[in-house]
């Protein structure tokens, strides 16, 4: 693994290559951006390039430092992860002891703090000291998808690097070159993954996506037929899949968008589910363009309410009532 094998994030990669080559890397970094877009991998790759014996700004993958990083046993690299829901004071203490000892093999010590927002208040206050007086040979890389939960004093002492999700096209081309997957399937997965290569791989490699796909289709049929008893049955699906509700709603939106596109254009090639044209025709029959737009709006609103931690059962019930009214 080196910068050239990371997908996307071109600007960040060339920036880090340059500052590492020129010996100008900041001693405290905060990589921020949505989950699953490769922030932790970027942190690892920065450390590896920094440790590499050849000092070119890119890891060579063959020197002893690179090999130790690849084997996950480099003595100068440490990752702190939440213990339960929090990164506790004791973990920061251990980290401070780790950086107090000179590096063994490399010229630096690198500590990655994953989900840095999970540092509790006393951990954040404790780490401030290290951030305020950074040692010459220490680099701290905090990684977070919720940087607003960090103290302003912590934020102000780190160089913040905002990383964005990947484009649908980048994800599609990655999936197609690494998996035997149809274009339509890759497109669907890219849309659902919203910029996260990690999530797109999860969909391909786990059964979650298959389950969601099947159940959402049944849900759409039940809504179309206004089949109350079936909907009641599907209630358990929403309870069971609470963790994946974001994807379920996104996937429902994809279907309604397809129906809308079909209504407006009748062009099969525009549809993500173009291979299921009969199903689309059947569902589109009973819904007007206005109703479809209203359904998509209801789903978007549901997503927003869930993001704001609204009552889960109530939000889902309201969504189903709205969809049934259409
Ligand atoms: Zn190397």
């Amino acid at each position: 693994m080196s910068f050239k094998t990371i997908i996307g994030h071109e600007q960040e990669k060339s920036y880090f290559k340059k500052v590492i080559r020129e010996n100008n890397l900041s001693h405290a970094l905060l990589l921020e951006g949505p989950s699953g877009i490769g922030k932790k991998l970027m942190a690892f790759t920065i450390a590896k390039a920094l440790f590499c014996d050849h000092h070119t700004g890119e890891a060579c993958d063959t020197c002893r430092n690179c090999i130790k990083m690849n084997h996950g046993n480099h003595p100068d690299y440490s990752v702190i992860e939440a213990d339960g829901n929090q990164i506790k004071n004791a973990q920061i203490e251990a980290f401070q002891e780790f950086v107090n000892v000179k590096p063994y093999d490399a010229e630096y010590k690198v500590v990655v703090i994953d989900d840095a927002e999970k540092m509790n208040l006393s951990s954040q206050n404790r780490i401030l000291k290290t951030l305020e007086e950074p040692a010459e040979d220490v680099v701290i890389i905090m990684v977070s998808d919720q940087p607003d939960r960090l103290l302003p004093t912590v934020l102000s002492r780190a160089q913040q690097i905002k990383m964005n999700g990947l484009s649908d096209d980048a994800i599609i081309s990655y999936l197609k070159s690494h998996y035997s997957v149809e274009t339509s399937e890759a497109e669907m997965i890219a849309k659902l993954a919203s910029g996260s290569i990690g999530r797109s791989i999860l969909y391909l490699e786990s059964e979650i996506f298959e389950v969601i796909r099947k159940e959402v289709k049944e849900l759409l049929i039940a809504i179309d037929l206004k089949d109350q008893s079936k909907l009641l049955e599907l209630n358990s699906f929403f309870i069971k899949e609470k963790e994946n509700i974001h994807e379920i709603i996104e996937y429902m939106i994809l279907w309604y968008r397809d129906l809308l596109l079909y209504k407006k254009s009748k062009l099969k090639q525009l549809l993500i589910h173009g291979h299921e044209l009969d199903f689309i025709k059947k569902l589109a029959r009973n819904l007007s363009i206005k109703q479809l737009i209203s359904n998509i709006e209801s789903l978007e609103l549901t997503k927003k309410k869930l993001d704001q931690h609204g009552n889960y059962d109530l939000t889902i019930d309201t969504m189903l009532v709205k969809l049934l009214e259409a």
Side-chain angles (χ1 to χ4, degrees):
M1 178 54 66
S2 55
F3 287 122
K4 67 174 174 292
T5 52
I6 292 183
I7 306 141
H9 309 300
E10 299 305 329
Q11 246 182 320
E12 292 87 346
K13 287 188 296 191
S14 53
Y15 170 74
F16 284 123
K17 267 198 270 189
K18 182 170 179 289
V19 290
I20 291 170
R21 193 173 53 234
E22 294 172 353
N23 223 351
N24 242 338
L25 183 69
S26 163
H27 289 273
L29 290 163
L30 170 62
L31 305 182
E32 55 179 78
S35 69
I37 60 167
K39 298 186 297 298
K40 209 173 148 191
L41 184 64
M42 184 68 87
F44 172 84
T45 311
I46 292 169
K48 195 170 151 188
L50 191 66
F51 289 169
C52 177
D53 286 343
H54 294 97
H55 305 288
T56 61
E58 175 69 297
C60 72
D61 251 331
T62 52
C63 74
R64 68 201 165 96
N65 276 311
C66 283
I67 287 169
K68 280 189 181 169
M69 283 299 274
N70 287 349
H71 289 169
N73 58 7
H74 200 295
D76 299 320
Y77 182 73
S78 169
V79 179
I80 300 176
E81 280 167 342
D83 173 8
N85 267 331
Q86 285 188 353
I87 296 175
K88 295 172 182 152
N89 221 338
Q91 293 176 275
I92 302 298
E93 257 178 62
F95 142 72
Q96 283 166 333
E97 276 167 34
F98 172 77
V99 296
N100 271 338
V101 180
K102 291 272 157 217
Y104 291 100
D105 284 329
E107 288 169 26
Y108 294 88
K109 283 204 161 182
V110 175
V111 180
V112 175
I113 306 178
D114 194 23
D115 294 326
E117 75 282 350
K118 291 189 174 157
M119 285 189 282
N120 60 28
L121 203 59
S122 75
S123 304
Q124 290 196 49
N125 278 316
R126 182 171 273 277
I127 204 173
L128 263 182
K129 248 186 79 179
T130 313
L131 294 174
E132 273 164 358
E133 302 155 11
E136 274 296 299
D137 52 8
V138 174
V139 173
I140 299 160
I141 309 178
M142 294 181 282
V143 168
S144 178
D145 55 3
Q146 292 167 281
D148 48 338
R149 284 174 57 193
L150 289 165
L151 292 174
T153 39
V154 171
L155 288 175
S156 68
R157 280 166 183 81
Q159 182 189 2
Q160 284 171 261
I161 306 274
K162 286 197 174 67
M163 291 173 62
N164 295 316
L166 298 179
S167 68
D168 285 1
D169 285 346
I171 293 182
I172 292 165
S173 89
Y174 175 82
L175 294 180
K176 288 188 72 181
S177 61
H178 288 76
Y179 296 88
S180 61
V181 58
E182 299 279 335
T183 306
S184 60
E185 174 119 358
E187 280 173 3
M188 204 183 322
I189 288 173
K191 284 252 176 333
L192 288 183
S194 358
S196 159
I197 200 100
R199 228 177 295 157
S200 74
I201 293 169
L202 179 76
Y203 296 152
L204 263 185
E205 291 184 347
S206 74
E207 281 165 13
I208 298 172
F209 187 54
E210 267 317 300
V211 172
I212 291 177
R213 191 132 75 155
K214 184 175 155 284
E215 301 273 352
V216 166
K217 234 176 130 176
E218 281 183 31
L219 182 67
L220 293 172
I221 296 170
I223 291 171
D224 180 50
L225 300 173
K226 311 226 184 288
D227 183 344
Q228 295 287 353
S229 65
K230 183 72 193 171
L231 281 169
L232 219 57
E233 235 176 78
L234 282 165
N235 225 346
S236 62
F237 163 67
F238 281 109
I239 294 166
K240 204 172 89 232
E241 296 295 337
K242 190 170 173 178
E243 226 177 274
N244 300 312
I245 191 65
H246 187 84
E247 285 81 0
I248 292 169
I249 294 177
E250 283 290 349
Y251 191 52
M252 290 172 77
I253 294 174
L254 280 190
W255 269 110
Y256 283 120
R257 285 223 176 101
D258 261 3
L259 292 174
L260 188 61
L261 273 175
Y262 175 73
K263 276 263 184 201
K264 283 182 168 172
S265 72
K266 300 272 187 289
L267 286 174
K268 183 184 163 186
Q269 58 271 32
L270 290 180
L271 310 177
I272 286 186
H273 297 95
H275 53 291
E276 296 196 62
L277 200 58
D278 285 342
F279 186 64
I280 287 189
K281 279 182 185 167
K282 192 167 163 284
L283 289 188
R285 212 171 35 209
N286 296 330
L287 290 161
S288 67
I289 288 182
K290 205 173 145 209
Q291 284 167 326
L292 285 167
I293 292 173
S294 143
N295 281 359
I296 293 170
E297 283 170 356
S298 305
L299 290 165
E300 295 284 2
L301 185 69
T302 307
K303 241 171 42 181
K304 215 169 170 183
K305 279 195 210 157
L306 292 172
D307 283 345
Q308 293 162 352
H309 306 288
N311 178 302
Y312 181 79
D313 295 344
L314 186 69
T315 309
I316 297 296
D317 280 349
T318 312
M319 172 189 86
L320 288 175
V321 169
K322 281 268 177 213
L323 296 177
L324 281 167
E325 274 172 2

